[in-house]
Amino acid sequence: MLYGFFVLLCCQLLGEAVRHVTGGPVPGPVLGILFLVAYMALSDRFATKRVTERARATEGAADGLLAYLGVMFVPAGVGVAGKLELILDNGTGILVTLLVSTLATMIATVAAFRLVRLLSERRS
């Protein structure tokens, strides 16, 4: 479990370091997740008993953190409840933004799905 937390934190640190050095537009946590995905993919590719155990330890640490993810939203919810008047004053803009972003997300998801399906059919 400790090794899993170590890997997660190293990926996070590496992502932040790359972001800081390059100054690119991609946030450090996103780069960290990409490094984690690469680590997990490489651990599958070079699957020995020791590598598999370490990858499972990383998965266990990540699952442990995900179990408490909902707790992270409590401070945000309290902050929103404290600014209820501001939300009511800007309700129309918030509602339009939510609807447009939801629609854009659905369209992007369908487009990505269709693209992947088209590419996979071409390979078959």
Side-chain angles (χ1 to χ4, degrees):
M1 185 70 111
L2 190 59
Y3 177 81
F5 283 120
F6 173 76
V7 170
L8 293 174
L9 290 174
C10 282
C11 289
Q12 172 75 24
L13 178 65
L14 186 60
E16 292 290 345
V18 168
R19 165 69 172 99
H20 182 72
V21 169
T22 62
V26 180
V30 173
L31 292 173
I33 288 178
L34 292 175
F35 290 130
L36 181 63
V37 168
Y39 169 79
M40 297 303 279
L42 289 174
S43 68
D44 276 347
R45 177 130 175 123
F46 301 107
T48 64
K49 184 176 180 180
R50 184 174 180 179
V51 170
T52 304
E53 288 174 3
R54 289 185 173 184
R56 292 197 185 190
T58 305
E59 288 176 12
D63 288 342
L65 289 174
L66 285 175
Y68 298 104
L69 185 65
V71 175
M72 303 298 179
F73 293 103
V74 172
V78 171
V80 167
K83 301 289 184 182
L84 196 55
E85 308 85 35
L86 186 62
I87 292 172
L88 292 175
D89 291 342
N90 298 303
T92 305
I94 293 171
L95 186 61
V96 168
T97 302
L98 285 172
L99 291 175
V100 169
S101 64
T102 301
L103 184 63
T105 301
M106 293 171 94
I107 290 170
T109 302
V110 168
F113 175 77
R114 293 185 74 183
L115 178 65
V116 168
R117 188 177 69 185
L118 178 69
L119 292 174
S120 65
E121 286 175 356
R122 283 187 182 173
R123 285 189 175 186
S124 297

